[in-house]
Amino acid sequence: MAATLNEIYNARSIALIGASQDPNKAGYQVLKLLLDEGYEGKVYPVHPKEPEILGRKCYPSILDIPDAVDVMVVAVSAKVVINVMKQAEQRGDVKGAVVLSAGFAETGVPELVEAEAELVRIAKRAGIRVFGPNCIGMAYPALKLNTGFAPGIKLIEGSAAYVSQSGAFGGALLMFAGDQPCPQGFAKFGHIGNMCDVSNLELIEAFNNDPSVSVTGAYMEAVKDGRELMRIAAASEKPNLILKVGRSSLGAAAAMSHTGSLAGSDKVYDGAFKQCGIVRMDTVEDMTDGMKAVASLPKPKGNRVCVLTEAGGMGIVSMDTIDKTDLVLASIAGDTLAKLEETLPSMAMICKPDGYIDMTAAVSPEQQAESLRLVLADPGVDAVLLMGLPPIFRDAKDTAERISPVAKEFDKPVAVCFMRGESMAEGRRHFEENGIMTFDTPERAVKALETLYRAAFRNGHPLEDLPPAPRHHLVEKAVAQGRNLLEPEAVSLLADNGIPTVDHAFATSSEEAQDAAERFGGPVVLKVVSPDVIHKSDAGGVKVNIRSRSEMADAYDAMMSEVASRVPGADIHGAMIVPLAEPGTEIIIGMVRDPQFGPTIMFGLGGIFVEVFKDVSFRVAPFNEEVALDMIKETKAFELLGGVRGETARDVGSLVDLLVKVSRMAATQPEISEIDLNPVRIYERGLAVLDARIILSCGN
């Protein structure tokens, strides 16, 4: 049976395969770090010729070590690694392997890809869990354990855990955490390299379930199973902060679809993260400051922030930044306002605007402390941003000593921005030693508070596990013929899934089209039905406002001639006739199957504007009404649906229901690879799907 990750992190003995006397080699640096940091377990250097290294006895091979070996760190060339794995299998007691060696599947060379596969086969037989290859492995301050060689990592115990797909970047995150006025510690760190065995998802889940961890941060380049990531995050009681990099499109194959062309994997990641409660970080600074805030500050009870500043410029910068976040300025109570006016210098700008207090440079440390006490005691304040640049005649540490006790009186977060500089260092250190986090700039302080708020109020929605539905007879027919659904078939499939559609008729001749127009009795729309005509309007395949048999006869002949001219050789099955819809707000709903997240639903403004504004949101199917409403609110379309400039509000409830039904249809019918409902027209009551295109996996 394979060991657990907890057993590996708690390793009491490590064999370093490839230990070296050469300071320029990883085998020397890892050994030196283990010894210098005071690793609490036993270390066994392994080298075929050296009798000892750094004062430690060397063993010719791992087979020669007489005592138990929990973990081996492998720092030899790739071609030797397989033999080392076989020796570990022969021993039978090795629980984990950290393979620092590069030169495996990451090269793309077939024989090296196969070598990594062989490594995995041996590990599975032996029950050995593998970090890497091509990694720096793990760090665990509680045991003074560090299997890597990244510079500047301080093994200080804390409650933040880090997962990284990049060794250098992961090491940098730990270095940034340590490079604070009061170095920030961490609970555990893991770098998984090629992820041949231990994955970023497994580490995130393990850290989420670790009682010593309060927040997990991850640097992520890609994820093999996006739905599994969502499951892990939604189930976690602890926040996950992820810096996801790499922004690319879904690929040329999806470009024919409105949804596919607008998706881009980054937009899908964005929607999926919001859906499952992951707090997405945009920059290294965001990650560093966010982890610092979440691991160290009290949870806010809301997003209402009071700005206390002694420098007007810093205050203005903070206000500009707050305006771009989920935070809002707090509303200060009348009695608090009166007490602030009594406390602060007469030139102070108090609550202009509400929640913003420029104490001015004339403020004393005592007045700052009392002002902080007053706003923290105000029930309308959830957090305070305290900013200052104490002048040369005031000591920053003395100011911090007077303010810190006040901040600790209340269970509310206080973020301090004393601008970076030697004169501020002692003051900032005092703040942080007393649990009050400081930040280099107003922007970073504001964003840290926003991250703290988002982490506290994340709302993770687990994906419902729906079984596949029986294949619809229309899908069965299309699959058998190796084609996509025709629009009349797509409309019928939607209707059978409870989705509102407009009445329609299908005609294979001008006469049938004229009969349909007469039967509907009012203005109608004529649309070509062809699997080869993707965007009908561009090909002349749509005629509107047809009012009589004679108009239909002319329109039918003209449309067929125009389509044949613009799309030579198109397989035209006939035409679809629908009543002309009443005016309404047009939106688009689409679906693509993302390689990582599976069926993914898009929502945004429809009609001709979707490609222009690209104001769309994504969520992973299936989802409930709350998620559907979130994705609507995320777009500008929500404002239009609410009614602007005298327009009546639209039926958002029916739109929510439509999104949920489309998501369930996509999740339960795997043959559907794309859906494009554009436009969908929303009314004061109800809605209508005016155009529907459904692509099947067999018809691409």
Side-chain angles (χ1 to χ4, degrees), residues 258 537-538 586-588 605-614 678-679:
H258 280 297
S537 296
D538 295 344
E586 292 189 350
I587 58 93
I588 180 175
L605 282 173
I608 63 173
F609 298 111
V610 61
E611 298 281 6
V612 177
F613 297 118
K614 294 180 170 56
N678 180 37

Side-chain angles (χ1 to χ4, degrees), residues 359-399:
M359 300 177 290
T360 74
V363 70
S364 69
E366 293 81 8
Q367 289 170 318
Q368 287 192 58
E370 181 58 24
S371 297
L372 179 62
R373 179 180 285 109
L374 289 171
V375 296
L376 283 173
D378 192 312
V381 174
D382 298 314
V384 174
L385 172 58
L386 177 64
M387 294 182 293
L389 189 65
I392 194 168
F393 51 82
R394 283 206 186 100
D395 183 68
K397 184 179 178 183
D398 178 65
T399 300

Side-chain angles (χ1 to χ4, degrees), residues 4-62:
T4 65
L5 291 179
N6 189 54
E7 288 177 294
I8 295 170
Y9 272 92
N10 283 282
R12 293 297 170 174
S13 59
I14 291 178
L16 176 55
I17 319 300
S20 174
Q21 296 278 21
D22 185 350
N24 295 315
K25 291 190 175 180
Y28 175 90
Q29 293 297 337
V30 173
L31 179 59
K32 189 173 188 302
L33 278 172
L34 287 168
L35 299 179
D36 288 351
E37 292 288 354
Y39 167 57
E40 295 184 3
K42 296 179 179 179
V43 182
Y44 303 104
V46 174
H47 191 284
K49 297 178 181 178
E50 298 286 355
E52 70 172 44
I53 299 176
L54 293 175
R56 290 298 178 104
K57 177 183 176 180
C58 258
Y59 297 87
S61 79
I62 193 172

Side-chain angles (χ1 to χ4, degrees), residues 331-342:
S331 181
I332 305 300
D335 57 341
T336 304
L337 181 61
K339 291 175 183 176
L340 285 168
E341 290 173 343
E342 294 175 4

Side-chain angles (χ1 to χ4, degrees), residues 572-623:
I572 300 175
H573 287 242
M576 186 172 172
I577 301 93
V578 298
L580 184 66
E582 293 294 324
T585 303
E586 292 189 350
I587 58 93
I588 180 175
I589 293 175
M591 187 279 289
V592 290
R593 292 196 180 271
D594 182 81
Q596 281 75 44
F597 292 96
T600 304
I601 308 299
M602 182 195 78
F603 167 80
L605 282 173
I608 63 173
F609 298 111
V610 61
E611 298 281 6
V612 177
F613 297 118
K614 294 180 170 56
D615 179 36
V616 295
S617 61
F618 286 83
R619 295 295 186 270
V620 179
F623 49 72

Side-chain angles (χ1 to χ4, degrees), residues 428-472:
R428 291 184 63 179
R429 185 176 299 112
H430 180 84
F431 274 125
E432 296 203 353
E433 286 173 348
N434 285 273
I436 302 147
M437 294 301 101
T438 69
F439 303 91
D440 290 348
T441 66
E443 297 99 324
R444 291 180 66 169
V446 170
K447 289 183 179 179
L449 285 177
E450 182 193 27
T451 298
L452 184 65
Y453 164 71
R454 290 169 60 199
F457 287 87
R458 69 194 186 283
N459 189 11
H461 295 272
L463 293 173
E464 188 179 359
D465 188 15
L466 299 176
R471 183 182 281 179
H472 192 277

Side-chain angles (χ1 to χ4, degrees), residues 628-640:
L629 185 57
D630 283 344
M631 70 185 299
I632 296 170
K633 288 181 176 180
E634 197 175 300
T635 67
K636 295 287 194 302
F638 182 65
E639 297 179 32
L640 295 178

